[in-house]
Amino acid sequence: MTFTSDVFDVETIELAGTTEHIVRGGRHLFGALPRAFAGVRRIGVLGWGPQGRAQALNLRDSLADTGITVTVGLRPGSSSAADAEAHGFHRADGTLGDWLDVAATSDLVLLLVSDAAQVAHRAEIFAALRPGATLGLSHGFLAGHLANEGLDWPAGISVIAVCPKGMGDSLRRLYRQGADVDGAGINASFAVAADHDGYAVDRALAWSIAIGSPYTFRTTLDDERLSDIVGERAILLGGVHGIVESLYQRYRTAGATPPEAYDRACATVTDPVARTISRAGLRAVRDGLSGPERADFDRAYAASYRPCRDLVEEIYDEVADGNELRSVVLNSRRLARTPLAPVSGSAMWTGERAATGLTDPFTAGVFVAAMVAQVDVLAAHGHPWSEIVNESVIEAVDSLLPYMRARDVSYMVDNCSVTARLGARKWGPRFAAALDQVVYPAADGTPDPAPVDAFLDHPVHDVLARLAPLRPPVDISV
Amino acid sequence: MTFTSDVFDVETIELAGTTEHIVRGGRHLFGALPRAFAGVRRIGVLGWGPQGRAQALNLRDSLADTGITVTVGLRPGSSSAADAEAHGFHRADGTLGDWLDVAATSDLVLLLVSDAAQVAHRAEIFAALRPGATLGLSHGFLAGHLANEGLDWPAGISVIAVCPKGMGDSLRRLYRQGADVDGAGINASFAVAADHDGYAVDRALAWSIAIGSPYTFRTTLDDERLSDIVGERAILLGGVHGIVESLYQRYRTAGATPPEAYDRACATVTDPVARTISRAGLRAVRDGLSGPERADFDRAYAASYRPCRDLVEEIYDEVADGNELRSVVLNSRRLARTPLAPVSGSAMWTGERAATGLTDPFTAGVFVAAMVAQVDVLAAHGHPWSEIVNESVIEAVDSLLPYMRARDVSYMVDNCSVTARLGARKWGPRFAAALDQVVYPAADGTPDPAPVDAFLDHPVHDVLARLAPLRPPVDISV
């Protein structure tokens, strides 16, 4: 995973006994972008979903006055055209066009349409690319699909990926905050799948810096796809969705009013827990508790760790085997006639949520255990530490949970990719069932303390302490 | 799906405008079994799970004094050997042996080991079969696996399936009741995948009659596999598991005590609803209600039908695509190190269950809607009506729900195949989430009455009225 750059400084960092190479971002580097983008005169952004919009806007802002044009390409009849026009991409000046035309006239083509659309239209898009062009992805999904189908990338192009570890809305929001706090943004991984002319790494780094990544680390398309699809099914979306639903029912059944149960089950996660992790790491959540509250945290952690880890392992297997991607393709076909079921119709999200100020250390223990379970599964499968903590911890507390805090679970889940939205609906209920059927009975007894002991000495604490300072301490306000 | 028999009477029946051919069973036909089993001197039953045990015992009883031997084959070191010996299969007299030896020395080899073991050991088993032997399956799982892998059956053998539409324990229990009530038993489908010598149909019919099927209908291995795996994931196991869990939480949250919530959520299904359906069909559940109770049923039915149907469609797609089987194989590998999580640890099953006598028409409406949703999905995919109602209705009310009534959900689920046990754990929580997130909000409003209108005129009512009398009115007492 070593790499070099002719333009940017590559730093070496030690993380829990491993070595990684990273590039820090920041606005002071924008002047070097044209050199790193050598040969790229036009960047075509295909798609206007949350990622497409955020990346097109960030790129245009970062590349202002460089002569590099950012053009948005949409499918014929796309309902997004009006919003793209409203954001300053116009047919009249050639910065908005048909996606295949844009693909054919761009030097760097960022394929940010939905995973299902990538699968359905890959042949047309590949055929449209000019020889020597660079295809950019923000996700390894398409690579996994090609592997499932026994296919390869087209010859004669470069294929790179820059994968921001956060949802599109927060990518744009933190980038704008970056005007005041240099370096604010969403960390990203990059990968190179094909390097036609030897410039792939610098183009990927330029893309990442231009969309505002505080730091960029290297991965492979396989590792990115696995960690990303697992993460969103587990702690990032599906896991936290199921966990808070189940805890809400538990507290309601035990007599809490709806607002009390909401605050204990959900606001505990989105407020003190997420903020503490963002600021001071995972162990700080427990360190901030004492006496019976710490005992509650420990009891919940001890009972939750193993069932959550088993579930994350199952998710990892399903994703690695390709089953989960086949399932997404099947589901996407059904979506043409059956819309996605709402994810926020439950008593928890439709009930009263007047602030009570209550928090619950049991909730904190469950959530932190599920998060560490995901860290451990990704570590056991050999992912780099930067990917592990960005995909398990930083994306949750800096990008996603603020959206659930501000509005509700559907605002968080349904602003993500269709692949993520499907996955959260599929796996969330499994986490809820694991809590109902396995965690609570164990927690009501005397759970084995071994998981808590392992937590106290966990290498993730040092890794977070090393990586957290690489992003400035901004607070996302949704 | 026409077939003829040289030994048994084949009847033609009309079901909702379609024609099916069936063979009635009964003890008066046991004398004809040797003729139908022509050429079979030894039947080898591989495996001693619930199906293996029940079928071996039923076959031995039915074939007493015919000169046809039933031998049980177990894997070396199998922990089931003592139980098989206790049931009268002995190494000393050659009726108990190593599974590959038994496979090599039997004319009809019934492969009743777990799906995962069939997948893991198919090559050895196929290699052990003598030329001209008949391989018998009770499930289309292996056929689906071979199709996934691009493989075929071995040449020179016949391959038949007889698939009882009930769990092994009830197959044995009802067979024994058949000594008093002739014809008591579990209906079965049969299929012929390869007919080496022209006797496949009669051998399958003889096998089905010998294990006590009241009536036997024809299917294909594909249709059987799809309907069986879908059914157990939906209304038979997974669906009912998730539905009663969710309703229990709903009633508890609304203030019901644990025993009250249990009776309203679960005993309603296992007692009045299942008994009424078994005796008088689906519409009789609603016909027995009036006034506000009928309105509650209708409201629940109207709100539940579509979300349940969407979920059964999703399950059907996953099974038909092969994803679900791949998932079972992946899960089975993990089971070697991580046992299945308990399915009865929730508050519902660990709480107090003193009988209150309460029932709930809302529960009845949800359950019947989910059952009809499955009927409609199977009908839309062209399954024969006998298969649809046995796999969606009769198996539930005559075989499975009595076990949940007598003990708990794990006694019902975990006496089924590993494939079924995995599927119930995977899909049950999805049904619970669909109720929590979609059904209850809709039911609390004014749901579209169209599903109830469709229910009143549903063809399934006539089909059940035609098929129910084919089995005697025995009541399974667990």
Side-chain angles (χ1 to χ4, degrees):
Chain A
M1 305 290 268
T2 304
F3 62 93
T4 57
S5 168
D6 295 332
V7 182
F8 304 108
D9 287 337
V10 179
E11 293 178 49
T12 302
I13 55 174
E14 303 294 324
L15 298 172
T18 66
T19 301
E20 292 186 21
H21 303 282
I22 62 160
V23 171
R24 290 180 200 247
R27 289 181 177 243
H28 61 288
L29 298 171
F30 289 179
L33 293 176
R35 189 152 66 90
F37 273 132
V40 174
R41 302 299 302 162
R42 179 187 292 274
I43 298 175
V45 178
L46 308 192
W48 190 259
Q51 279 293 332
R53 179 169 48 208
Q55 294 201 30
L57 293 170
N58 290 6
L59 283 165
R60 190 180 60 184
D61 289 352
S62 299
L63 294 168
D65 307 319
T66 62
I68 300 175
T69 309
V70 177
T71 300
V72 171
L74 299 178
R75 280 184 274 185
S78 165
S79 61
S80 301
D83 193 52
E85 291 268 2
H87 283 82
F89 293 95
H90 302 299
R91 287 199 177 273
D93 65 10
T95 57
L96 177 65
D98 176 81
W99 65 337
L100 296 181
D101 293 340
V102 172
T105 55
S106 296
D107 309 296
L108 171 59
V109 177
L110 308 188
L111 186 55
L112 302 182
V113 298
S114 74
D115 295 331
Q118 293 185 27
V119 167
H121 297 282
R122 62 175 158 70
E124 302 150 69
I125 294 162
F126 288 177
L129 298 174
R130 58 167 65 156
T134 297
L135 178 65
L137 310 165
S138 279
H139 187 17
F141 187 96
L142 184 59
H145 175 72
L146 294 179
N148 268 4
E149 302 286 317
L151 300 170
D152 209 343
W153 301 107
I157 64 164
S158 294
V159 180
I160 62 178
V162 168
C163 310
K165 300 291 127 186
M167 57 199 286
D169 278 10
S170 58
L171 186 71
R172 178 62 180 162
R173 197 175 289 269
L174 285 180
Y175 175 88
R176 294 178 69 158
Q177 291 185 25
D180 301 318
V181 184
D182 187 34
I186 299 287
N187 296 326
S189 60
F190 84 98
V192 174
D195 190 357
H196 179 66
D197 55 11
Y199 293 108
V201 168
D202 274 333
R203 273 184 211 131
L205 293 172
W207 171 13
S208 185
I209 290 166
I211 60 173
S213 306
Y215 90 98
T216 305
F217 57 93
R218 184 157 194 178
T219 186
T220 63
L221 282 181
D222 271 354
D223 272 353
E224 198 286 329
R225 174 175 58 81
L226 288 165
S227 58
D228 186 76
I229 298 181
V230 169
E232 69 201 14
R233 277 150 178 74
I235 198 60
L236 296 185
L237 299 176
V240 71
H241 166 45
I243 285 169
V244 299
E245 286 280 355
S246 167
L247 287 166
Y248 179 85
Q249 298 248 29
R250 176 175 166 92
Y251 298 142
R252 283 284 288 132
T253 305
T257 64
E260 287 167 354
Y262 178 81
D263 282 347
R264 290 171 62 191
C266 185
T268 295
V269 170
T270 56
D271 270 306
V273 171
R275 289 185 203 267
T276 299
I277 295 170
S278 177
R279 203 186 62 244
L282 285 158
R283 199 165 47 195
V285 177
R286 181 178 184 275
D287 290 347
L289 302 168
S290 58
E293 296 210 320
R294 180 178 284 188
D296 266 2
F297 176 97
D298 284 355
R299 196 163 53 89
Y301 189 101
S304 304
Y305 175 80
R306 193 73 242 174
C308 290
R309 181 159 177 174
D310 289 345
L311 207 39
V312 182
E313 275 288 359
E314 180 176 345
I315 295 170
Y316 200 99
D317 271 7
E318 293 285 324
V319 176
D321 185 74
N323 261 11
E324 192 69 19
L325 272 66
R326 281 185 286 265
S327 185
V328 167
V329 172
L330 285 174
N331 265 298
S332 299
R333 283 182 206 145
R334 247 190 339 274
L335 286 183
R337 50 177 207 278
T338 310
L340 274 174
V343 74
S344 58
S346 68
M348 172 168 190
W349 296 107
T350 55
E352 198 194 342
R353 285 190 264 152
T356 68
L358 287 176
T359 61
D360 198 304
F362 188 90
T363 296
V366 173
F367 178 78
V368 173
M371 190 167 258
V372 175
Q374 177 173 316
V375 165
D376 285 340
V377 170
L378 294 179
H381 287 277
H383 291 262
W385 274 107
S386 278
E387 188 163 67
I388 294 170
V389 299
N390 273 284
E391 199 65 71
S392 306
V393 184
I394 297 175
E395 177 162 358
V397 298
D398 282 7
S399 171
L400 293 167
L401 293 173
Y403 285 83
M404 188 158 85
R405 177 198 305 150
R407 198 85 64 87
D408 68 11
V409 66
S410 70
Y411 192 61
M412 174 179 76
V413 170
D414 288 339
N415 274 301
C416 293
S417 71
V418 172
T419 300
R421 297 167 69 191
L422 288 165
R425 284 163 170 81
K426 178 173 176 180
W427 293 98
R430 293 290 303 281
F431 281 88
L435 263 58
D436 293 346
Q437 293 166 20
V438 186
V439 170
Y440 302 149
D444 292 341
T446 309
D448 174 10
V452 177
D453 295 340
F455 173 70
L456 295 177
D457 288 332
H458 203 289
V460 74
H461 306 308
D462 287 341
V463 171
L464 272 174
R466 182 77 186 80
L467 293 179
L470 296 180
R471 70 200 203 292
V474 297
D475 211 8
I476 191 166
S477 48
V478 177
Chain B
M1 305 291 268
T2 304
F3 62 94
T4 59
S5 168
D6 295 332
V7 182
F8 304 108
D9 288 336
V10 180
E11 293 177 50
T12 302
I13 55 174
E14 302 294 324
L15 298 171
T18 66
T19 301
E20 291 186 21
H21 304 281
I22 63 159
V23 171
R24 288 180 202 248
R27 287 177 179 247
H28 61 289
L29 298 172
F30 288 0
L33 293 175
R35 188 151 67 89
F37 271 133
V40 174
R41 303 296 304 160
R42 180 186 292 274
I43 299 174
V45 178
L46 308 193
W48 191 259
Q51 279 292 333
R53 178 170 49 207
Q55 293 202 31
L57 293 169
N58 291 7
L59 283 164
R60 190 180 62 185
D61 289 353
S62 299
L63 294 169
D65 307 320
T66 61
I68 299 175
T69 309
V70 178
T71 300
V72 171
L74 300 178
R75 279 183 273 185
S78 165
S79 60
S80 301
D83 193 54
E85 291 268 1
H87 283 82
F89 293 96
H90 301 299
R91 289 201 174 270
D93 65 10
T95 57
L96 177 64
D98 177 81
W99 66 337
L100 295 181
D101 294 340
V102 173
T105 56
S106 297
D107 310 297
L108 171 60
V109 177
L110 307 188
L111 186 55
L112 302 182
V113 297
S114 74
D115 296 330
Q118 293 185 28
V119 167
H121 297 282
R122 62 177 157 71
E124 302 150 69
I125 294 161
F126 288 175
L129 297 174
R130 60 167 65 157
T134 298
L135 178 66
L137 310 166
S138 280
H139 186 18
F141 187 95
L142 185 57
H145 175 72
L146 294 179
N148 267 4
E149 301 287 316
L151 301 171
D152 209 343
W153 302 107
I157 63 164
S158 295
V159 180
I160 62 178
V162 168
C163 311
K165 300 289 125 186
M167 57 199 285
D169 278 9
S170 58
L171 187 72
R172 178 62 180 161
R173 197 176 289 268
L174 285 180
Y175 176 89
R176 295 180 69 158
Q177 290 185 25
D180 300 317
V181 184
D182 186 31
I186 298 287
N187 297 325
S189 60
F190 84 98
V192 174
D195 190 358
H196 179 65
D197 55 10
Y199 294 108
V201 169
D202 274 334
R203 273 185 210 128
L205 293 172
W207 171 12
S208 185
I209 289 166
I211 59 172
S213 307
Y215 90 98
T216 306
F217 58 93
R218 186 156 191 178
T219 186
T220 62
L221 283 180
D222 271 352
D223 272 354
E224 198 287 328
R225 174 175 58 81
L226 288 166
S227 58
D228 187 75
I229 299 180
V230 170
E232 69 201 15
R233 277 152 178 72
I235 198 61
L236 295 184
L237 300 175
V240 71
H241 166 45
I243 285 169
V244 300
E245 287 280 354
S246 167
L247 287 167
Y248 179 85
Q249 298 248 29
R250 176 175 165 91
Y251 299 143
R252 283 284 288 132
T253 305
T257 66
E260 288 167 353
Y262 178 80
D263 283 348
R264 290 172 63 192
C266 185
T268 295
V269 170
T270 56
D271 270 304
V273 170
R275 290 186 204 266
T276 300
I277 295 171
S278 178
R279 204 185 63 248
L282 285 159
R283 201 165 44 194
V285 177
R286 181 178 185 274
D287 291 346
L289 302 168
S290 58
E293 296 208 322
R294 181 178 285 188
D296 266 2
F297 177 97
D298 285 355
R299 198 164 51 91
Y301 189 101
S304 302
Y305 175 80
R306 192 74 239 176
C308 289
R309 182 160 177 174
D310 290 345
L311 206 40
V312 182
E313 276 287 359
E314 179 174 344
I315 295 170
Y316 199 99
D317 270 6
E318 294 285 323
V319 176
D321 186 74
N323 260 11
E324 192 69 18
L325 272 66
R326 280 185 286 264
S327 184
V328 167
V329 172
L330 285 174
N331 266 298
S332 299
R333 281 183 208 144
R334 245 190 341 270
L335 286 182
R337 50 177 208 276
T338 310
L340 274 174
V343 75
S344 56
S346 68
M348 171 167 193
W349 295 106
T350 55
E352 199 195 340
R353 283 190 266 152
T356 66
L358 287 177
T359 60
D360 198 303
F362 188 90
T363 295
V366 173
F367 178 77
V368 173
M371 188 168 261
V372 175
Q374 179 174 315
V375 166
D376 285 340
V377 170
L378 294 179
H381 286 278
H383 291 263
W385 274 107
S386 279
E387 188 163 66
I388 293 169
V389 299
N390 273 285
E391 198 65 72
S392 307
V393 183
I394 297 174
E395 177 162 357
V397 298
D398 282 9
S399 172
L400 293 167
L401 292 174
Y403 285 82
M404 190 159 82
R405 178 198 305 150
R407 200 83 66 84
D408 69 10
V409 66
S410 70
Y411 192 61
M412 175 179 75
V413 169
D414 288 339
N415 274 300
C416 294
S417 69
V418 172
T419 301
R421 296 166 70 190
L422 288 165
R425 284 163 170 80
K426 177 173 176 179
W427 293 99
R430 293 289 304 280
F431 280 89
L435 264 58
D436 293 346
Q437 292 166 20
V438 185
V439 170
Y440 302 149
D444 291 341
T446 309
D448 174 11
V452 177
D453 295 340
F455 173 68
L456 296 177
D457 289 331
H458 203 286
V460 73
H461 305 310
D462 287 342
V463 172
L464 272 175
R466 182 79 187 78
L467 293 178
L470 296 180
R471 73 204 201 289
V474 297
D475 209 10
I476 192 165
S477 49
V478 178

